[in-house]
Amino acid sequence: LFIRLIVEIEQNSQLSRKFLIVFTVLCNMADKEFDKRDRLLIAALEENSRLSYRELGQKAGMSGAATEERIQKWLTNGFIIRLFAEPDPFILGYRTARLYLKMEGFPSDVERAFELEYSAKPTVQWFAITQGKWNYIIRFIYHTETEFNHYVMELLSHYGKYVKEKDIVITHYQGQLPITYFTQVQRYDITTEKPTEKKEIDDIDRKILQQLFENARAPTTQLAQEVGLSPDAIQYRIKQLTKKGIIRRYTGWLDRRKLGYDYYKIFIWFHFITPEDEVSFLNYCTTHPNTVYINRVIGHWDLEVDVDVKGLEELDGVLKKMQNKFSRIIRDYSFVAILRDYMPNPFASEAHG
């Protein structure tokens, strides 16, 4: 809502200034709802959300009971969208690509049906409703180009008459970073998805992954009942899935808007750059406190940098600093606002049936 309002009133400078003052006050209020222990607990959940309440509490300086109470409160009010085991799709033999859609003449009932369908498809790793050049971004997971083409053609067969423009990029690698701009906790190593040797899993592993994707904190006794194995056997399999890198980490999907931040995706076009130039730029992005994702892609543009900022004014500052520091290698850039995003369970039966 804030993003839409800012865009609508930005032509009126007097109204815009008043709105930005109110917006800043509201953002600061959101900050004050979380104390230092909250920030430490959020950082601990991002790093390993499967730790016991006692272990998480030790990192945040509070008791296990207080830790449980806070986590349950955040789950109830929607700040924590999901605590989940994050899989590495490349190790499972998948590739990923993003489809970008600009729609026109989209009837509201068809629009709702489209959003409901693609925000829950297991073949979709990430679905975003955006504002800017594109209306939707859909990250598909697939084994072969033929499979991916089938997914795209299936979408177009149902909704193609409303697609004004589309584009596709292939993921070369993707990195995710913790929200240290809020937690003020030193960053740990970036978690990266990139092409690698495939590791095999069986149906039991898949069932375990499906459950852990929905709830990283699911007890082994509960998983044992769901899968039909002993708790010891479940524990062994989880350790193997983690050791092989199939489970990259246990983390949290948080609604950062409740912290007063908006989510933007920046598209970057490079001039010809050397490997050294690329490393320098990536180091800059990964150490920037507002960066939450970095995506190296093959397609119309070269890189995507996802950032959390408190409105367009802060975004403008991020872009200007980036452009000034790397004017020699940045040819152009654009951005979209992520209004809502969804992360379907990739281990649901439809994806593999």
Side-chain angles (χ1 to χ4, degrees):
L1 176 61
F2 282 138
I3 295 170
R4 286 195 174 118
L5 286 171
I6 291 172
V7 171
E8 289 173 5
I9 68 174
E10 63 181 344
Q11 300 301 321
N12 186 323
S13 60
Q14 184 177 3
L15 183 59
S16 178
R17 284 193 296 272
K18 291 180 180 178
F19 178 80
L20 286 173
I21 291 171
V22 174
F23 179 71
T24 301
V25 170
L26 290 173
C27 289
N28 289 336
M29 286 173 61
D31 274 356
K32 291 176 182 178
E33 290 179 4
F34 296 84
D35 61 25
K36 181 179 179 180
R37 289 180 297 179
D38 288 326
R39 294 169 192 264
L40 290 172
L41 180 54
I42 292 166
L45 286 170
E46 281 199 298
E47 188 172 5
N48 188 350
S49 60
R50 194 166 169 79
L51 292 176
S52 69
Y53 291 123
R54 181 182 61 81
E55 291 170 315
L56 290 167
Q58 287 176 344
K59 290 177 175 287
M62 64 180 77
S63 69
T67 299
E68 181 178 6
E69 182 181 352
R70 293 197 188 203
I71 291 174
Q72 292 304 318
K73 180 185 74 172
W74 292 339
L75 285 166
T76 301
N77 67 23
F79 169 55
I80 295 178
I81 300 171
R82 180 187 298 155
L83 299 174
F84 68 104
E86 184 178 54
D88 188 328
F90 289 102
I91 287 183
L92 292 172
Y94 290 103
R95 294 294 177 263
T96 68
R98 291 177 181 81
L99 174 65
Y100 303 80
L101 298 172
K102 181 72 174 178
M103 314 302 278
E104 187 175 60
F106 215 8
S108 59
D109 58 333
V110 180
E111 180 182 28
R112 284 194 298 270
F114 172 78
E115 291 176 0
L116 284 171
E117 178 181 356
Y118 280 88
S119 64
K121 267 187 179 294
T123 52
V124 172
Q125 191 180 40
W126 184 65
F127 176 77
I129 301 170
T130 65
Q131 185 176 56
K133 177 176 174 58
W134 306 108
N135 299 121
Y136 299 102
I137 304 174
I138 308 174
R139 189 186 190 203
F140 286 99
I141 55 173
Y142 60 92
H143 287 103
T144 66
E145 284 74 14
T146 300
E147 190 175 64
F148 174 57
N149 182 68
H150 168 74
Y151 297 152
V152 174
M153 295 308 295
E154 179 184 45
L155 182 152
L156 294 176
S157 69
H158 291 94
Y159 304 102
K161 64 182 177 180
Y162 306 113
V163 176
K164 181 180 180 180
E165 187 178 351
K166 64 180 172 63
D167 212 331
I168 292 172
V169 300
I170 308 298
T171 305
H172 179 50
Y173 63 77
Q174 171 171 298
Q176 182 177 3
L177 290 150
I179 58 169
T180 53
Y181 62 81
F182 182 77
T183 62
Q184 304 300 312
V185 174
Q186 184 176 1
R187 286 190 165 177
Y188 43 86
D189 291 340
I190 183 172
T191 56
T192 307
E193 297 174 8
K194 56 185 177 181
T196 188
E197 181 183 353
K198 180 183 177 181
K199 303 286 178 64
E200 298 293 339
I201 61 173
D202 60 19
D203 288 341
I204 294 175
D205 286 334
R206 193 174 299 282
K207 288 179 181 178
I208 294 171
L209 290 167
Q210 182 179 357
Q211 296 295 319
L212 288 175
F213 188 84
E214 292 297 333
N215 180 12
R217 301 189 59 76
T220 53
T221 51
Q222 176 186 324
L223 294 172
Q225 291 176 351
E226 295 284 348
V227 176
L229 292 178
S230 70
D232 287 344
I234 292 292
Q235 190 66 34
Y236 174 78
R237 282 181 175 261
I238 290 175
K239 287 181 179 179
Q240 289 301 304
L241 290 169
T242 305
K243 182 179 179 181
K244 293 176 182 178
I246 293 168
I247 295 176
R248 295 167 61 202
R249 60 175 180 158
Y250 301 94
T251 189
W253 183 20
L254 309 175
D255 185 352
R256 284 109 60 194
R257 295 167 188 84
K258 293 184 183 296
L259 301 176
Y261 288 82
D262 294 326
Y263 180 13
Y264 289 89
K265 180 179 284 290
I266 304 167
F267 306 94
I268 297 174
W269 287 259
F270 289 129
H271 295 294
F272 174 78
I273 60 172
T274 66
E276 292 76 16
D277 289 332
E278 182 172 351
V279 169
S280 176
F281 186 78
L282 290 175
N283 284 341
Y284 174 82
C285 291
T286 56
T287 55
H288 195 290
N290 294 84
T291 304
V292 290
Y293 283 99
I294 297 175
N295 308 287
R296 190 66 162 101
V297 300
I298 301 169
H300 183 199
W301 47 87
D302 300 299
L303 194 74
E304 298 175 6
V305 181
D306 295 15
V307 297
D308 286 349
V309 291
K310 289 188 173 181
L312 287 170
E313 187 173 9
E314 186 174 4
L315 176 66
D316 184 60
V318 170
L319 291 170
K320 283 180 178 176
K321 287 180 181 179
M322 182 186 296
Q323 177 67 37
N324 290 338
K325 185 173 181 63
F326 296 96
S327 57
R328 182 176 60 83
I329 64 173
I330 294 178
R331 178 166 58 89
D332 199 4
Y333 64 82
S334 66
F335 63 87
V336 296
I338 309 297
L339 302 180
R340 298 195 303 279
D341 58 335
Y342 305 86
M343 193 166 53
N345 192 326
F347 300 104
S349 58
E350 182 186 330
H352 313 283

